[in-house]
């Protein structure tokens, strides 16, 4: 961030009040310039505002009265003739009713580590982005629709702890998480919210500091170091960010001037009882400028490669209405947000959580869409898990759950997400959801992840599932890394690694993710045997792959599979590989296509299909390719 001091003008003030300011962090908050520190805060309809400065060593307080701007009496500022880097501060506000309250700075770029919560004056960043890191960042996001994307979703505080049981710092995370992610084959990391928040158990979603990386894991420069190291290792980094609601804690935005300043003015839409948060008033220009500026800040200052936006359900649908009517106000705000980010950061990847069926979330704004690049596919993962939880003998009765996602798939650009939301104690881990013996559970987990990779769409997997974490994510101190002492979990980790390596190599599984020609059913309705098969295609015919999934506990001999072309077909991946703990690949891994029509294809082959297995087949090339 530039250390050039900017001043309010009539034009910038107009932008702020009308919801058009995208860089409010340059004007508001605390800023050191030469030998003085400037504080500015928006607090309308109050009697007075002061900034209380606390020396972090002496802990003594100094109170400095602030004055309203001559151009705008809703904005208060003061210049203190000292460089106050590292000093703690709060705003002391006398409300219209005469109450005196203290508040953290909405634009603070650093806050104290919880349980303390006051703001900290930030010094100029010492981090310098290398040309190599910035160049790698451009490569990571370039043409992302047609590139493999396997996202590892991480909660920093519970992925791994240090030897004393404390949090890893951002720098320690760079030394441990990045090599692990790279070794396992993931292409991206998505961090659960690292904006400042008071309660560990909120996972970061109850935000109090929309411009401050949480101090739990280190400083802003430590975070930049981690981000740069991700880029240097060709790992994309996605932030999880909350645009629609904020924490109820009284030291932060709630009732900032003694009234509902940032929060929704209509009582019935204001709060989220289940989350303990308040919804922003996205009809208020100053609040829109605040949110827009937060979104821009994380791309500008920290250079994230993408952003996943949480809880859009409360923006796209009217809050607290069980019938979920569309919220056109929230949709209009999101269109402003995505349009602004695409204009200023055209390479940034924008991902919507969106747990409901609002149309055209990934559609272009000019065509009536919301403007995101991707949205999470909750429907696919919910149905797939419900199907896998069903006893194999009863899966024929719910067969449609494993195929239904392709009915609506091409309406949006989806990411298939086995996220943290799916793995809480009430729902259980992926491994824990599988029925049967422990051996059968692992067979089925490999099958589920194989189907996840073969299904169209980009991918996301929450930490721990790659090695078969047995317990659900319960905000324990760290993942159960001791499970690597057991062979079955080492085999599971090896499987995930080789599955992701395979995924990144085979173009059929990512080049045409969102094109109709990228997917074709061979067999979708074989509920009796609980088998499905389909074709995945890339740009080149020689990349075409055949996927066969057996979700039953029965082994099928001579199972007939339709083929789109003549030639010899080779099995190139199987979840049944003995190296992963499976029963083996079967007797034959190559078959010549027979001119026997099957599955509406001209050719077919008969294969051995072990229980709980996904196998993938590809035509061997002899110099010519039949389309």
């Amino acid at each position: 961030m530039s250390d050039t001091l900017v001043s309010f003008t009539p034009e910038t003030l107009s932008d702020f009040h009308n919801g058009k300011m995208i860089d409010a962090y340059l004007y508001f908050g605390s800023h050191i310039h030469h030998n003085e520190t400037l504080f500015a805060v928006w607090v309308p309809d109050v009697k007075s505002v002061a900034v209380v400065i606390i020396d972090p060593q002496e802990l003594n307080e100094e109170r400095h009265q602030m004055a309203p701007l001559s151009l705008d009496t809703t904005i208060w500022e003061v210049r203190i003739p000292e460089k106050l880097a590292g000093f703690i501060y709060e705003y002391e506000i006398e409300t219209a009713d005469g109450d005196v309250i203290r508040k953290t700075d909405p634009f603070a770029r650093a806050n104290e580590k919880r349980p303390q919560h006051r703001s900290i004056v930030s010094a100029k960043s010492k981090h310098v982005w290398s040309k190599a890191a910035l160049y790698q960042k451009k490569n990571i996001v370039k043409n992302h629709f047609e590139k493999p994307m396997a996202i590892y979703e991480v909660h920093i505080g519970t992925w791994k702890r240090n030897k004393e049981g404390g949090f890893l710092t951002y720098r320690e995370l760079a030394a441990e998480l990045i090599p692990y992610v790279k070794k396992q084959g993931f292409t991206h990391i998505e961090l659960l919210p690292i904006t400042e928040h008071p309660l560990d158990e909120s996972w970061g979603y109850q935000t109090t500091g929309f411009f401050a990386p949480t101090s739990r894991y280190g400083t802003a420069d430590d975070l930049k170091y981690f981000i740069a190291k991700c880029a240097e290792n060709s790992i994309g980094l996605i932030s999880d960010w909350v645009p629609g609601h904020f924490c109820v804690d009284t030291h932060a935005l709630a009732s900032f001037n003694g009234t509902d300043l940032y929060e929704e003015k209509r009582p019935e839409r204001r709060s989220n009882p289940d989350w303990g948060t308040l919804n922003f008033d996205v009809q208020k220009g100053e609040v829109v400028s605040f949110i827009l500026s937060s979104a821009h800040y994380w791309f500008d200052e920290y250079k994230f490669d993408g952003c996943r936006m949480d809880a859009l359900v409360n923006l796209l649908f009217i809050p607290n209405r069980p019938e979920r009517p569309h919220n056109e106000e929230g949709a209009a705000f999101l269109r402003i947000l995505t349009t602004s980010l695409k204009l200023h950061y055209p390479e940034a990847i924008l991902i919507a959580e969106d747990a409901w069926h609002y149309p055209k979330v990934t559609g272009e704004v000019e065509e009536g869409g919301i403007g995101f690049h991707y949205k999470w596919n909750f429907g696919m993962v919910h149905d797939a898990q419900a199907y896998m939880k069903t006893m194999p003998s009863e899966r024929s009765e719910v067969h449609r759950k494993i195929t239904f996602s392709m009915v609506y798939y091409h309406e949006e650009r989806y990411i298939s997400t086995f996220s943290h939301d799916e793995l809480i104690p009430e729902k259980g881990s992926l491994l824990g959801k599988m029925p049967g013996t422990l051996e059968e559970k692992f067979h089925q987990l490999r099958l589920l992840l194989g189907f996840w990779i073969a299904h169209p769409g980009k991918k996301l997997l929450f930490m721990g599932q790659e090695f078969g974490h047995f317990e659900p994510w319960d905000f324990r101190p760290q993942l159960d890394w001791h499970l690597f002492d057991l062979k079955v979990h080492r085999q599971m980790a090896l499987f995930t690694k080789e599955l992701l390596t395979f995924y990144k190599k085979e173009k059929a599984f990512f080049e045409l993710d969102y094109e109709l020609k990228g997917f074709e059913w061979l067999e979708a309705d074989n509920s009796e045997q609980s088998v499905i098969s389909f074709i995945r295609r890339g740009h080149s015919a020689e990349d075409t792959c055949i996927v066969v999934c057996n979700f039953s506990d029965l082994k099928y001999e001579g199972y007939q599979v339709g083929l789109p072309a003549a030639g010899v077909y080779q099995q190139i991946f199987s979840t049944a590989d003995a190296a992963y703990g499976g029963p083996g690949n079967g007797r034959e891994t190559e078959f010549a296509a027979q001119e026997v029509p099957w599955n509406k294809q001209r050719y077919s082959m008969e294969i051995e299909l072990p229980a709980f297995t996904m196998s993938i087949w590809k035509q061997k090339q002899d110099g010519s390719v039949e389309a």
Side-chain angles (χ1 to χ4, degrees), residues 265-506:
K265 58 182 176 292
R266 290 163 288 195
E268 69 276 10
R269 297 190 183 190
R270 185 174 302 144
S271 66
N272 304 300
D274 293 341
W275 299 343
T277 57
L278 299 167
N279 292 317
F280 279 114
D281 184 354
V282 296
Q283 294 292 287
K284 188 177 289 183
E286 298 89 350
V287 174
V288 172
S289 289
F290 175 82
I291 304 170
L292 284 177
S293 295
S294 174
H296 278 256
Y297 177 77
W298 292 99
F299 284 119
D300 180 42
E301 185 73 5
Y302 293 96
K303 308 197 184 308
F304 279 94
D305 301 300
C307 175
R308 177 266 194 187
M309 299 190 194
D310 177 67
L312 298 192
V313 63
N314 272 13
L315 286 166
L316 293 175
F317 301 90
I318 295 176
N320 305 316
R321 293 276 295 275
E323 67 273 26
R324 296 291 185 185
H326 287 183
N327 182 2
E328 295 307 323
E329 297 169 2
F333 161 73
L334 286 173
R335 291 187 182 102
I336 292 171
L337 177 58
T338 59
T339 298
S340 180
L341 290 174
K342 284 182 173 180
L343 175 64
H344 293 275
Y345 307 99
E347 296 168 337
I349 299 171
L350 304 181
I351 304 170
E353 179 194 21
D354 184 33
W356 293 80
H357 305 299
Y358 196 95
K360 297 184 178 180
V361 171
T362 59
E364 297 298 326
V365 169
E366 297 79 7
E367 300 172 0
I370 303 299
F372 287 91
H373 295 110
Y374 303 99
K375 69 176 268 189
W376 279 14
N377 193 346
F378 277 125
M380 176 264 182
V381 296
H382 287 169
D383 286 347
Q385 288 178 98
Y387 179 78
M388 296 302 294
K389 287 171 67 175
T390 304
M391 293 298 295
S393 61
E394 299 172 3
R395 283 176 181 164
S396 61
E397 300 173 17
V398 293
H399 185 77
R400 186 167 169 78
K401 285 188 176 295
I402 205 64
T403 62
F404 182 67
S405 58
M406 292 310 302
V407 172
Y408 60 82
Y409 174 78
H410 293 287
E411 295 175 2
E412 303 274 9
R413 290 188 295 269
Y414 285 108
I415 297 178
S416 300
T417 54
F418 290 116
S419 73
H420 67 280
D421 283 321
E422 305 301 315
L423 304 165
I424 56 178
E426 303 93 282
K427 298 183 180 181
S429 68
L430 291 182
L431 182 66
K433 291 172 183 173
M434 304 298 112
T437 66
L438 184 61
E439 182 181 24
E440 290 171 333
K441 287 177 181 291
F442 275 102
H443 291 336
Q444 292 175 89
L445 179 56
R446 291 194 302 273
L447 171 58
L448 176 60
L449 293 186
F451 173 70
W452 167 70
I453 283 291
H455 191 284
K458 308 309 179 188
K459 323 295 176 187
L460 179 142
L461 187 67
F462 187 60
M463 62 185 196
Q465 309 313 301
E466 74 278 7
F467 62 86
H469 202 273
F470 199 85
E471 296 296 327
W473 182 52
D474 193 17
F475 209 80
R476 61 188 62 239
Q478 65 174 4
L479 296 180
D480 293 335
W481 294 104
H482 60 83
L483 292 176
F484 273 88
D485 294 336
L486 302 176
K487 183 179 179 180
V488 289
H489 292 279
R490 294 196 302 272
Q491 289 175 322
M492 188 66 212
L494 173 65
F495 165 78
T496 307
K497 173 185 176 181
E498 296 194 356
L499 179 67
L500 293 176
T501 300
F502 170 84
Y503 164 64
K504 292 183 293 185
K505 176 184 174 184
E506 294 296 333

Side-chain angles (χ1 to χ4, degrees), residues 8 67 114 159 171 174 202 252 307 326 340 357 413 416 485 524 540 545 559 585 592 602:
F8 290 104
R114 57 95 178 95
W159 179 71
R171 291 179 184 269
S202 78
C307 175
H326 287 183
S340 180
H357 305 299
R413 290 188 295 269
S416 300
D485 294 336
S540 174
C545 289
Y559 193 88
N585 290 326
R602 181 178 175 182

